[in-house]
Amino acid sequence: MAPYPGMLRAACRPVRSFLQRSWNRFLNRLDPPVLILLYHRVTTLAADPQQLAVSPENFRDQMRHLRDSFPLVGLGDDWGSPRETAIAVTFDDGYADNCREALPILEETGVPATFFVGTGSLGTREEFWWDELERLLLEPGEYPERFTLEDDARGVSWPTASPGQRTVLYGDLHRLMKTVDTPCRASWMRRLRDWSGKGDSGRESHRPLDFRELARLAQSPLVSIGAHTVTHPCLSALTAERQREEITASKMRLEEVLGRSVTLFSYPFGGRRDYTRTSEALCREAGFVRVASNFPGLVHRWTNPYALPRRLVRNWDRETFAIHLERFLYR
Ligand SMILES: [Zn+2]
């Protein structure tokens, strides 16, 4: 009997993965790469549905491991031709804990880092939209029986009596909100606030950076600051004109606040489908020199500087972190 294609694929998997690892080792020797790590928050949260937070204890252990094991580079540095694999640390979004929790640990361990900051939230007490979605839907409390999104194009209704039903709604709205532009998302969020009766006051634990904290970050010789749009939209869902606004306005605002030129950028969400060739061209046109995305890979000499791969780091202890780094470097 001929084996099923699925069985054949499964049988070939170890061989493919061995070949892939050998090829990557060869490439890494030929041209030692930079591995860019992606963080969001350093704090401890009661609930973290997007798994964005690394605890201060684990973050300190991770930074000690990097310091003890690898050459470290800043994203804004001239990397020249590295003689061995180096690592760069980056943070997206601009949470207040980047200054309160991450910076002291970076300074203690001497690890350089780049912080990509969304300028629309800077200095406000508003939560980022994915956090507010969580606050309005997933926190314990009394909720109405149903939520209906009475939008012209989408008259969709969800049952919301149980925590499980609200988790489904959270997932669906998170996906939907990524596909619309900022005014539409803001109007859906207003409806959700009215529906839940929870108001719009953001939690201190989820606060974005204020201007003093941003200045404190930017003063550190270990830190570079990059842009991350104004309202954190999914760029591929926007017209070219709206993309240009988001990209250039965030650069200009940061330059105005920091009094220095900002040449680094990271795409919101950063997956291959979250931005387009137009986004890359607009970033080049705006004067950015390195732009970070969010898909697996290593940065070689030949890597497109407008689509630098990064690896997400989770709340891992030192041992688990070391295992993941090996995987990031060779698979
Ligand atoms: Zn982001």
Side-chain angles (χ1 to χ4, degrees):
M1 192 181 78
Y4 292 109
M7 287 164 67
L8 205 60
R9 265 202 304 276
C12 290
R13 208 169 289 141
V15 179
R16 263 213 326 270
S17 119
F18 171 77
L19 289 175
Q20 183 72 53
R21 266 202 311 277
S22 308
W23 175 245
N24 287 348
R25 275 179 202 279
F26 167 73
L27 281 183
N28 291 1
R29 259 203 300 275
L30 180 75
D31 180 62
V34 175
L35 165 63
I36 310 177
L37 300 179
L38 166 55
Y39 292 85
H40 293 86
R41 313 197 54 180
V42 175
T43 187
T44 306
L45 298 171
D48 185 16
Q50 301 292 328
Q51 299 181 66
L52 297 182
V54 175
S55 72
E57 299 71 33
N58 281 342
F59 185 68
R60 180 176 286 105
D61 284 349
Q62 293 180 4
M63 293 306 103
R64 284 179 178 161
H65 180 73
L66 291 183
R67 177 199 61 195
D68 297 344
S69 316
F70 296 93
L72 300 165
V73 291
L75 213 61
D77 301 347
D78 174 7
W79 295 342
S81 301
R83 290 227 298 272
E84 49 185 323
T85 298
I87 298 211
V89 169
T90 67
F91 279 80
D92 274 9
D93 298 335
Y95 282 95
D97 58 62
N98 293 179
C99 177
R100 285 192 309 226
E101 302 280 3
L103 183 64
I105 296 172
L106 293 168
E107 290 185 323
E108 173 193 318
T109 51
V111 175
T114 299
F115 292 85
F116 294 104
V117 176
T119 53
S121 324
L122 205 52
T124 74
R125 302 198 65 85
E126 289 165 19
E127 296 186 14
F128 295 108
W129 66 259
W130 52 92
D131 286 332
E132 182 160 20
L133 202 56
E134 178 230 318
R135 180 175 69 82
L136 297 177
L137 286 173
L138 301 185
E139 290 205 318
E142 291 285 310
Y143 287 84
E145 293 282 311
R146 292 195 81 78
F147 175 72
T148 305
L149 198 56
E150 287 147 353
D151 196 82
D152 289 347
R154 317 158 199 261
V156 192
S157 183
W158 289 262
T160 51
S162 73
Q165 290 170 332
R166 292 193 297 276
T167 303
V168 170
L169 173 58
Y170 167 82
D172 287 351
L173 282 181
H174 191 276
R175 257 190 311 282
L176 281 172
M177 284 187 175
K178 256 183 87 173
T179 65
V180 297
D181 200 355
T182 311
C184 179
R185 191 170 57 236
S187 118
W188 291 359
M189 203 61 98
R190 274 195 300 275
R191 263 177 236 178
L192 209 53
R193 273 182 219 125
D194 292 345
W195 167 86
S196 72
K198 291 188 179 215
D200 61 358
S201 52
R203 294 163 291 186
E204 173 62 21
S205 57
H206 290 69
R207 182 171 64 74
L209 288 162
D210 64 27
F211 290 99
R212 248 195 3 213
E213 289 161 338
L214 177 67
R216 168 79 189 86
L217 270 181
Q219 270 164 16
S220 169
L222 291 166
V223 167
S224 52
I225 304 289
H228 193 51
T229 72
V230 180
T231 66
H232 207 287
C234 180
L235 288 171
S236 58
L238 304 188
T239 63
E241 205 33 56
R242 277 285 297 126
Q243 289 198 46
R244 178 181 281 114
E245 276 172 33
E246 289 280 345
I247 292 167
T248 52
S250 66
K251 183 177 196 289
M252 285 165 62
R253 180 74 177 125
L254 278 180
E255 290 181 341
E256 179 192 313
V257 171
L258 299 172
R260 67 168 87 142
S261 119
V262 171
T263 58
L264 306 170
F265 181 84
S266 75
Y267 299 116
F269 308 104
R272 289 184 197 272
R273 293 184 178 175
D274 298 327
Y275 64 96
T276 62
R277 286 285 167 140
T278 304
S279 327
E280 292 184 22
L282 290 168
C283 284
R284 184 181 289 117
E285 187 188 300
F288 291 112
V289 299
R290 279 194 186 126
V291 178
S293 56
N294 178 16
F295 54 78
L298 298 165
V299 182
H300 287 283
R301 249 177 314 178
W302 50 83
T303 304
N304 174 4
Y306 293 89
L308 299 175
R310 285 188 292 177
R311 288 290 199 155
L312 263 167
V313 180
R314 301 299 190 193
N315 188 21
W316 298 318
D317 61 23
R318 184 169 178 157
E319 197 184 332
T320 314
F321 180 60
I323 293 169
H324 280 283
L325 286 181
E326 272 295 298
R327 197 166 61 81
F328 294 165
L329 288 168
Y330 299 113
R331 266 187 228 163

